[in-house]
């Protein structure tokens, strides 16, 4: 059995998220998805999610390609591997050849995990959508 893993915030779920999950499931028998907690999001990206963690988990869990959802409490991908022992990890190609993912890729090679990079969506990214919504919220609050 081939176990696959990917993770993300999955705030403002869009077609890029769906395509990544669909493509990932096509390459493994079971797909586990880590959903970033609200606390990690605040720490890592310095902003709040639009959709609360429990709702984001429920949305991702309902996708037919997803076999299990786990909370992502840390950005440490090896910690996730230590818990789950996956064979493949899936990530967007916007991380390809970045210093961060070259280190992660090298660490995964030592335990036999293959990193698969999928094309990133060409549409409106969640980060940009979140920024627009944040500006609107601030304007409504008179900030």
């Amino acid at each position: 059995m081939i176990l696959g893993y990917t993770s993300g915030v999955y705030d403002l779920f869009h077609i890029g998220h769906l395509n990544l999950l669909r493509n990932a499931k096509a390459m493994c028998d079971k797909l586990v998805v880590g959903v970033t907690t609200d606390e990690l999001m605040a720490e890592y990206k310095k902003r709040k999610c639009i959709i609360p963690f429990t709702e984001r988990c429920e949305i991702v869990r309902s996708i037919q390609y997803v076999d299990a959802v786990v909370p992502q409490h840390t950005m440490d991908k090896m910690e996730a591997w230590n818990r789950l022992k996956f064979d493949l990890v899936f990530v967007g190609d916007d991380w390809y050849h970045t210093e961060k993912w070259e280190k992660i890729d090298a660490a995964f090679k030592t335990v036999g995990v293959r990193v698969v990079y999928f094309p990133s969506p060409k549409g409106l990214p969640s980060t940009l959508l979140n920024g627009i919504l944040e500006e609107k919220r601030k304007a409504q609050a008179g900030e």
Side-chain angles (χ1 to χ4, degrees):
M1 181 188 73
I2 298 171
L3 182 61
Y5 177 77
T6 192
S7 62
V9 179
Y10 301 103
D11 202 18
L12 305 177
F13 196 91
H14 56 73
I15 192 67
H17 294 135
L18 183 63
N19 287 338
L20 186 139
L21 298 174
R22 178 189 301 119
N23 293 334
K25 179 61 179 183
M27 295 184 69
C28 60
D29 299 306
K30 290 200 180 280
L31 179 62
V32 178
V33 179
V35 175
T36 304
T37 64
D38 291 337
E39 296 79 15
L40 180 58
M41 181 66 171
E43 176 187 317
Y44 178 62
K45 290 201 177 181
K46 308 292 188 236
R47 66 176 170 79
K48 291 183 175 182
C49 290
I50 303 298
I51 309 297
F53 173 72
T54 55
E55 292 179 24
R56 290 183 286 119
C57 286
E58 194 58 32
I59 290 165
V60 173
R61 186 178 289 113
S62 71
I63 305 298
Q64 70 184 19
Y65 311 111
V66 175
D67 295 296
V69 169
V70 297
Q72 177 178 244
H73 296 287
T74 175
M75 297 304 295
D76 184 344
K77 303 303 180 194
M78 286 305 292
E79 192 259 83
W81 181 82
N82 285 325
R83 282 186 296 122
L84 302 167
K85 304 295 191 222
F86 45 81
D87 305 293
L88 299 171
V89 65
F90 305 100
V91 64
D93 67 358
D94 49 333
W95 290 105
Y96 187 64
H97 280 311
T98 63
E99 184 178 339
K100 176 182 178 176
W101 272 89
E102 285 187 354
K103 288 178 185 175
I104 293 169
D105 200 331
F108 276 144
K109 281 183 175 138
T110 68
V111 293
V113 173
R114 191 176 95 186
V115 178
V116 178
Y117 296 92
F118 286 128
S120 296
K122 302 300 179 226
L124 197 57
S126 298
T127 302
L128 181 58
L129 290 171
N130 274 313
I132 292 166
L133 290 171
E134 187 65 30
E135 287 177 26
K136 281 245 183 239
R137 267 193 297 234
K138 286 179 181 177
Q140 286 179 341
E143 294 179 15

